[in-house]
Amino acid sequence: MKIKEILVRAATYTGRRDIANALESGDALDNESAEAVETLLYCYNAVEDEIARSYAPLKTKQRLNSIVGVYDFSEFGYTPVKILSVTDLSGRKVKYEIGSSYIKCDEREVFVEYEYSPSKKDLDGDCAFLPEQVTLRMLAAGTAAEYCLINGEVRLAECYECVYRQEIDGIRRRAVAELKFPPRRWV
């Protein structure tokens, strides 16, 4: 999904069809409209970050090298939020320590699997999530709720917050449905 597409939907939700039309057509924006788009983009980034941290974590696995066994977070491809595992090249788990800005272990080359926070997006960027993970409706409703709240439209913000939370409940239901419990064996 494209960020512009999400912001067009959010602008439409908030009653700002003028901004939605300008974004769709690529027309130049006046100062007030440009400021509104910047606010929508700020709201989108906040919503994407919340979803990634709490409801649909973004995960990756990365191969890292270090002569001394210290792997600085700045060397990671993304900003790590949670380290899931550290393994050596053969796939065996490795003991590691987490510092404030690094992980440390006795191996010189490791695979690190971690959850990360998405980078800040601009208008022409792509959404960090796949459409199967998070819907356009969820992102647009969350963005619209944040935008309305910033602009003092509390009742409209509550309306879109409700839509956003319903979509989040859908993610939670899918996660529970995917859980597999082994059958009970009575002895």
Side-chain angles (χ1 to χ4, degrees), residues 32 105 107 172:
E32 189 272 331
C105 64
E107 298 291 324
R172 288 180 173 165

Side-chain angles (χ1 to χ4, degrees), residues 52-103:
R53 288 178 187 267
S54 303
Y55 308 111
L58 297 169
K59 298 177 186 176
T60 190
K61 190 173 190 176
Q62 187 174 350
R63 185 177 181 167
L64 298 169
N65 303 324
S66 171
I67 295 171
V68 294
V70 176
Y71 302 93
D72 196 74
F73 291 154
S74 64
E75 298 170 10
F76 286 42
Y78 302 98
T79 304
V81 172
K82 181 180 181 182
I83 304 296
L84 301 173
S85 69
V86 178
T87 57
D88 62 13
L89 298 180
S90 63
R92 289 186 313 246
K93 292 195 177 213
V94 174
K95 283 189 171 186
Y96 62 93
E97 295 175 29
I98 299 179
S100 61
S101 63
Y102 63 89
I103 60 171

Side-chain angles (χ1 to χ4, degrees), residues 1-175:
M1 287 180 279
K2 294 288 189 187
I3 305 301
K4 188 182 286 189
E5 172 184 11
I6 296 164
L7 295 188
V8 165
R9 177 83 60 95
T12 302
Y13 285 171
T14 60
R16 295 299 309 262
R17 192 66 204 157
D18 58 324
I19 293 173
N21 290 339
L23 287 174
E24 284 179 321
S25 65
D27 292 342
L29 300 169
D30 61 12
N31 286 342
E32 189 272 331
S33 295
E35 187 177 317
V37 169
E38 284 300 314
T39 304
L40 281 167
L41 190 57
Y42 173 82
C43 294
Y44 169 79
N45 282 312
V47 167
E48 185 180 60
D49 191 63
E50 177 187 8
I51 292 169
R53 288 178 187 267
S54 303
Y55 308 111
L58 297 169
K59 298 177 186 176
T60 190
K61 190 173 190 176
Q62 187 174 350
R63 185 177 181 167
L64 298 169
N65 303 324
S66 171
I67 295 171
V68 294
V70 176
Y71 302 93
D72 196 74
F73 291 154
S74 64
E75 298 170 10
F76 286 42
Y78 302 98
T79 304
V81 172
K82 181 180 181 182
I83 304 296
L84 301 173
S85 69
V86 178
T87 57
D88 62 13
L89 298 180
S90 63
R92 289 186 313 246
K93 292 195 177 213
V94 174
K95 283 189 171 186
Y96 62 93
E97 295 175 29
I98 299 179
S100 61
S101 63
Y102 63 89
I103 60 171
K104 183 179 181 180
C105 64
D106 292 334
E107 298 291 324
R108 293 178 180 232
E109 200 165 355
V110 294
F111 285 106
V112 179
E113 184 177 12
Y114 61 97
E115 293 178 3
Y116 64 91
S117 63
S119 59
K120 298 295 179 207
K121 305 295 190 300
D122 61 4
L123 194 57
D124 297 320
D126 290 319
C127 177
F129 301 103
L130 298 173
E132 306 83 62
Q133 293 174 298
V134 175
T135 64
L136 174 70
R137 181 176 187 231
M138 174 192 287
L139 292 166
T143 302
E146 292 291 322
Y147 181 80
C148 290
L149 198 57
I150 286 172
N151 288 313
E153 300 173 23
V154 177
R155 292 202 187 259
L156 194 55
E158 288 173 348
C159 174
Y160 287 113
E161 182 71 19
C162 182
V163 172
Y164 176 60
R165 295 293 164 200
Q166 287 172 351
E167 291 290 318
I168 287 172
D169 288 344
I171 287 177
R172 288 180 173 165
R173 279 192 299 278
R174 283 193 303 270

